[in-house]
Amino acid sequence: MTTAPHTLRTAHLADPLGIDEQHPDLSWRPAGRQRAYRIQAATDPGLLASGACDLWDSGPVEDPRSTCVRYDGKPPGARRRVWWRVRVRYDDGLSPWSSAATWETGLPTAADWSGARWITAPDTGGPARLPLLAVDFHLPSAPVTARLHATALGSYEASVNGVRAGRALLEPGYTDYGTRLIYATYDITDALRQGNNTVGLSLGNGIAHAPRVPGRYAKLHIDHGRPRAIAVLHAVLADGTSTTLVTDGTWHAAGGPVTLSAWFGGEEYDARLERHGWDRPGHDRAQWSAAVEAPLEGVTLNARTHPPIDAVDTVAPVSVAEPRPGIHVFDLGVNIAGRPRLTVTGPAGASVVIRPAELLADDGTVNQRFTGTPCYDRYTLRGDPGGEVWAPATVYHGFRYLQVEGLPGDPAPDTVRGEVMRTANARAGGFSCSSDLLNGIHRIIDRAVQGNMFSVLTDCPHREKLGWLEQAHLVFPVVAGGYDVAAYYRKLVRDMADAQTAEGLVPGIAPEYTVFEDKFRDDANWGGALVLAPWHLYRTYGDTTTLRTHYPDMLRYLGHLHSRSDDGLLLHHGLADWIAFDNSTPRAVTATYAHQRIAAALGDIAEAIGRPDDAAAHRRLADRVARAFHTEFFDPARHTYGSGSQACDALALEMGAVPAEEVPAVLDHLVDSVRAADGHVTVGEIALPALLRVLSAHERDDVVADLLSRTDSPSYGYQLAHGATALTERWDGPTRGSSQNHFMLGAASEWLTASLAGLRQAADSVAYERIVVRPAPVGGLTRASAWYETPRGRTAVAWHRRPDAFRLTVMLPPGAPSRVELPLPGGGRDVREVEPGSWEFTVPGDWTAR
């Protein structure tokens, strides 16, 4: 019997709760090579099981796609659950129906929020305390289902009868707060009960309200107004009746124990101000005030349709020191993004200060010079003899060290912990090899990706916490190679579109919380993320929805680039090859490279969404830009481009500007320049991915292996040798300073998996329909392996090299035949086409000299 499809996803999420989309994308994993599918959807599982589908029956569809298939049934409306299933036809017959999956809609229109008001605590003019909001209500019976839809300007945590609703932290995350806020839907069925109930919302400032705070670091100052919240609770009872509760003037408000919430500078919490049981029934609200309305005009509410920020791990200190009396410095042994968790016992009023940092000063205290100073959290004890546990709820930091001041007694092993926070995108890939150095490089890059994977991809988790856009596409293969970001990146792209100006400019950061000077605001390698990130989404996950949604925005951005060019081809503005050691690369080289990539991607995008005339026009533009680049920058005497830097040659080769007859000579010049730099890179973040891909594409993985084997500056190995536990901002970061948690130079991980291990998608494939296994056993390595969760299932490769044989094992998911390119001991490749499944190959010979 054939096997049913499995791993059903709606909008790239498993059984999502509270989405707005009425026609979401549906995906599944077939168990074999799919030829056709049939989808059914219903408002009741019984109807679905009987085949009497009241929402949709697609009928048999001759289509091999199993990713991003649009639900084309009846719009379910608001607060409706949809059950759906799929069956497919394989070469050997029709599969059984899959198990049912579900999605549930939230409140997709403004009318669905009718009656709900934005509320906050009244301004008493007294000492600043962040608001608590609560409402008490009665239910005649326990609910069958109950949902809480909520969001806030700032940050919030929701609770029901004293129990936190969900695990999400720092909700609702970054958006353009003047136009859009994200709401979440919580299943609170089990938290409610017959009789009296209470819903509570505790608020923080987030980045929406980052005022000037004396004595605290702030990268920038933002003021969208005081924290406020809006919510709708809907409960269905066993008798079929329902109760709806909204935020309005019947809610109560009071100041909470958070007395300071500074996004960049830290949180202060006074446990003596806690209102015990404030979010539980029976709390005395005699001292509370009525909540006041605080309208937000012109702001759209959209459901969160990506994983939230969560605490994914806890790190214990590896050591503690006392560089000064009463000052204890805890070393977590690894650089993380997250928050400290304090366990302490002492008298009421005792105050403990925690200062996070990535580096230490010469005297052993923390050094915040490169992360923003002063930044600290303060906890004032309530005096519980049984001990107190606290972690800030309205901020997060980047740190390895925690300097604790004011402990009432000696530190214990569990006095502080580091809670690792990030967007909870599922792990999707891994890599390992026989080199501790290369494993270490992969590890610190992954740690930096995690440390910056919040509600936007940040540049660093401390000093700026801003969504610089170049990383979103330049290092996409690394981010997506480690994590499932299909849903997450849709949110990032929408942020980019929201930040786009009326003139078509896409600024360097999104959301654009501050306007930087022109070269930082307008660079095609940054703004081009609006085109290139959706293209990556399509190639990796088959996402045409994002392409169609934002294609008009992409065209407006292309128009903006033309407005910045004298001839419509060459661009001259921007940041050049940012953070490079060799600063000779002309700005026009990197800017025009971006222009060509954007035009070429638009050609492919237009073809993917059925606009052939547009596709041809974009491709003609891309060819003209490449020819203009060659004419402007080629030096025929030296067979190089521009200044002759590594960046100039790598970018010229990657964009296809080099005539075929010149490619060998330009490649030789590039390799010679690497050798002349004693095997080091001199490029910055723009040219680095191109450099590694170009060398690998032209069979010079040996040069890349040499680059990655260096342990002197500049190199990844230098960072590891000098104690880096996350990738740093600069090549010599551990000794130079700057951020110790930046992923922008992380392109090496792409080479490790796609070239060294040899696991990659075919160039003409979408959603990993076809895979190419092309290992590169170089650098004296004896083994390498990689795995990746493709939209069709797991694929994996592992190779081992002995002196007399090379052995390769491959696992390929269902799909079309893939290609295995076996290396030969004397050079060259044995190319084979193989079907999905597990394979093992052995190539005998003398492998000692390779």
Side-chain angles (χ1 to χ4, degrees), residues 7-357:
T7 317
L8 276 61
R9 296 290 183 264
T10 304
H12 300 293
L13 300 169
D15 300 328
L17 190 68
I19 67 173
D20 289 338
E21 181 58 60
Q22 298 293 294
H23 297 280
D25 292 342
L26 307 178
S27 302
W28 57 89
R29 290 185 180 178
R33 189 172 186 186
Q34 176 184 303
R35 298 298 184 178
Y37 66 80
R38 182 179 183 180
I39 300 170
Q40 292 183 335
T43 58
D44 181 87
L47 290 175
L48 186 68
S50 69
C53 301
D54 57 341
L55 289 177
W56 189 39
D57 188 331
S58 71
V61 179
E62 296 292 324
D63 192 335
R65 285 184 307 150
S66 59
T67 62
C68 298
V69 176
R70 184 177 187 265
Y71 165 75
D72 210 17
K74 297 176 183 177
R79 296 197 309 261
R80 297 295 299 272
R81 174 164 285 194
V82 177
W83 282 261
W84 70 281
R85 64 182 183 175
V86 62
R87 71 189 310 176
V88 302
R89 179 165 53 79
Y90 304 120
D91 289 333
D92 59 348
L94 195 63
S95 80
W97 286 103
S98 69
S99 298
T102 66
W103 83 83
E104 189 173 305
T105 56
L107 305 179
T109 70
D112 299 318
W113 293 84
S114 177
R117 301 288 183 262
W118 285 96
I119 61 171
T120 189
D123 186 357
T124 63
R129 293 170 62 181
L130 274 295
L132 302 177
L133 303 172
V135 66
D136 304 308
F137 60 101
H138 183 87
L139 288 177
S141 63
V144 176
T145 61
R147 303 290 184 261
L148 176 66
H149 314 274
T151 190
L153 179 68
S155 67
Y156 75 96
E157 285 190 0
S159 56
V160 179
N161 293 333
V163 177
R164 189 171 134 202
R167 294 177 49 89
L169 301 172
L170 299 177
E171 294 276 65
Y174 286 20
T175 53
D176 179 350
Y177 298 121
T179 60
R180 190 187 308 276
L181 275 160
I182 294 173
Y183 74 90
T185 298
Y186 305 94
D187 183 350
I188 58 171
T189 307
D190 293 339
L192 293 177
R193 61 198 184 202
Q194 181 180 4
N196 295 326
N197 294 270
T198 300
V199 172
L201 297 169
S202 59
L203 306 186
N205 285 326
I207 200 173
H209 183 59
R212 297 182 184 276
V213 179
R216 297 280 180 152
Y217 167 74
K219 168 66 178 180
L220 56 134
H221 306 287
I222 306 170
D223 189 5
H224 284 276
R226 299 172 56 217
R228 65 203 71 182
I230 191 169
V232 174
L233 183 152
H234 186 77
V236 178
L237 308 182
D239 62 3
T241 62
S242 63
T243 295
T244 300
L245 187 75
V246 299
T247 45
D248 56 19
T250 65
W251 284 56
H252 295 84
V258 178
T259 59
L260 177 69
S261 173
W263 190 243
F264 298 99
E267 178 181 301
E268 296 203 6
Y269 186 102
D270 189 339
R272 298 171 301 176
L273 303 177
E274 292 176 340
R275 300 176 182 271
H276 182 70
W278 71 274
D279 54 355
R280 296 185 179 95
H283 181 75
D284 182 2
R285 304 200 189 277
Q287 302 301 314
W288 288 54
S289 303
V292 297
E293 292 189 18
L296 279 182
E297 303 296 339
V299 176
T300 299
L301 300 182
N302 289 125
R304 171 166 50 74
T305 51
H306 59 277
I309 296 170
D310 196 1
V312 299
D313 194 10
T314 300
V315 180
V318 297
S319 67
V320 59
E322 190 175 10
R324 297 179 189 169
I327 296 179
H328 298 91
V329 177
F330 294 80
D331 179 4
L332 300 181
V334 64
N335 197 330
I336 68 170
R339 62 185 183 180
R341 188 179 72 209
L342 173 69
T343 300
V344 63
T345 303
S351 180
V352 179
V353 169
I354 305 175
R355 300 183 190 272

Side-chain angles (χ1 to χ4, degrees), residues 708-773:
L708 300 190
S709 70
R710 305 298 308 193
T711 57
D712 53 344
S713 180
S715 69
Y716 294 105
Y718 180 85
Q719 297 185 30
L720 285 165
H722 289 81
T725 59
L727 188 65
T728 69
E729 182 176 9
R730 298 177 182 272
W731 286 113
D732 52 355
T735 54
R736 181 171 177 172
S738 298
S739 168
Q740 303 296 296
N741 196 336
H742 252 68
F743 74 98
M744 67 182 182
L745 295 175
S749 280
E750 179 186 358
W751 180 83
L752 291 173
T753 56
S755 296
L756 180 62
L759 185 60
R760 65 182 72 182
Q761 181 174 202
D764 59 349
S765 170
V766 174
Y768 284 82
E769 169 70 12
R770 291 179 300 283
I771 291 167
V772 172
V773 177

Side-chain angles (χ1 to χ4, degrees), residues 461-637:
H462 35 66
R463 184 185 70 231
E464 295 194 17
K465 302 182 181 179
L466 297 176
W468 290 96
L469 296 183
E470 86 290 5
Q471 303 170 113
H473 67 92
L474 287 172
V475 202
F476 179 94
V478 175
V479 178
Y483 301 90
D484 178 357
V485 293
Y488 176 65
Y489 254 75
R490 284 184 165 183
K491 187 267 183 187
L492 302 187
V493 173
R494 187 173 65 185
D495 288 338
M496 299 173 201
D498 285 349
Q500 189 172 29
T501 69
E503 296 75 25
L505 164 70
V506 177
I509 60 171
E512 191 178 26
Y513 292 137
T514 189
V515 177
F516 291 108
E517 64 174 289
D518 181 66
K519 69 178 181 179
F520 288 97
R521 191 181 193 221
D522 190 3
D523 185 308
N525 283 295
W526 275 251
L530 179 62
V531 176
L532 298 167
W535 175 242
H536 280 300
L537 276 180
Y538 171 69
R539 283 289 322 282
T540 306
Y541 305 108
D543 182 356
T544 56
T545 299
T546 303
L547 297 184
R548 289 192 173 93
T549 299
H550 295 289
Y551 184 68
D553 305 319
M554 299 175 193
L555 294 183
R556 291 200 300 121
Y557 183 63
L558 186 64
H560 166 72
L561 294 183
H562 290 176
S563 75
R564 293 296 308 259
S565 170
D566 293 335
D567 59 2
L569 303 173
L570 299 176
L571 296 176
H572 300 272
H573 64 286
L575 290 167
D577 192 17
W578 182 250
I579 221 77
F581 267 80
D582 181 350
N583 293 317
S584 70
T585 302
R587 183 177 287 108
V589 166
T590 54
T592 304
Y593 163 76
H595 191 194
Q596 193 276 340
R597 289 188 74 214
I598 290 164
L602 275 169
D604 294 334
I605 289 169
E607 180 177 302
I609 62 175
R611 294 174 175 258
D613 292 343
D614 282 11
H618 294 317
R619 286 167 175 157
R620 287 193 297 269
L621 173 61
D623 289 343
R624 290 172 58 217
V625 172
R627 290 196 300 271
F629 181 98
H630 175 75
T631 300
E632 179 73 14
F633 297 113
F634 184 57
D635 181 344

Side-chain angles (χ1 to χ4, degrees), residues 431 438 478 692-693 695-697 700-706 708 746-760 776 778-779 781:
F431 166 83
L438 295 185
V478 175
L692 302 183
R693 283 195 295 261
L695 289 171
S696 184
R700 296 313 306 264
D701 291 294
D702 60 314
V703 179
V704 181
D706 290 346
L708 300 190
S749 280
E750 179 186 358
W751 180 83
L752 291 173
T753 56
S755 296
L756 180 62
L759 185 60
R760 65 182 72 182
V778 293
L781 296 171

